[in-house]
Amino acid sequence: MDIVQTFDIEAPAATVWAVISDVERWPTWTDSIDDVRITADALALDSTATVKQPGMPKLTWTVTAWEPGRSFTWETRGVGIRTVGVHTVEPTGDGTSRATLAIHETGPLDGVMRMLFGGRFRRFVEMEAAGLTRRSEELAGAAG
């Protein structure tokens, strides 16, 4: 299963990055996340976080790629499934940004997961995109 959403935000990339990389605050701007707890001092390469989403079990995600100010990738594994989440921010000029949120699942149970949870995962990504846009634009407006 691959879900990818790319969208423009009327806020500088630094502002969008500050919002998206502060994962413990995600529940304040998206209803797709109930709770996030980083198990280290800060999110960084090889750090982990526990994430609780509505109707889903609590999962531990490990950061597998970290490019400060630009992107991070984290992954979680379960029996028969590997899920990778990608979060990217890039400047587009004139103080605006483009963000990409993606979920990629692989493994023998991918088809089952797609049938059972594909619609929910799509809605979660849409909620996160809308919340990230709203919160980033609010902060950009307050700073401008």
Side-chain angles (χ1 to χ4, degrees):
M1 173 172 32
D2 289 307
I3 300 167
V4 179
Q5 187 157 357
T6 299
F7 49 100
D8 291 335
I9 301 175
E10 296 292 323
T15 300
V16 179
W17 176 254
V19 174
I20 202 167
S21 63
D22 189 359
V23 296
E24 289 184 314
R25 291 197 188 275
W26 286 9
T28 67
W29 53 261
T30 180
D31 290 335
S32 66
I33 302 289
D34 291 331
D35 188 59
V36 179
R37 301 282 175 211
I38 300 170
T39 56
D41 290 337
L43 199 65
L45 186 62
D46 296 325
S47 66
T48 60
T50 57
V51 178
K52 176 67 177 95
Q53 293 186 271
M56 304 295 293
K58 188 182 293 187
L59 298 172
T60 299
W61 293 78
T62 301
V63 177
T64 57
W66 180 258
E67 189 177 340
R70 171 124 170 84
S71 69
F72 77 91
T73 301
W74 59 7
E75 71 176 58
T76 189
R77 293 175 182 260
V79 175
I81 197 80
R82 174 178 171 243
T83 306
V84 176
V86 180
H87 313 79
T88 303
V89 178
E90 57 187 327
T92 56
D94 297 329
T96 63
S97 305
R98 178 161 295 131
T100 299
L101 303 176
I103 295 287
H104 306 288
E105 286 195 331
T106 56
L109 294 181
D110 175 49
V112 173
M113 294 296 285
R114 187 176 328 119
M115 269 187 357
L116 294 175
F117 300 108
R120 181 181 303 186
F121 291 165
R122 244 180 233 75
R123 284 189 303 280
F124 283 171
V125 171
E126 290 168 1
M127 293 166 75
E128 290 162 18
L132 176 62
T133 300
R134 185 175 49 255
R135 182 64 182 139
S136 298
E137 290 177 353
E138 286 171 359
L139 289 173

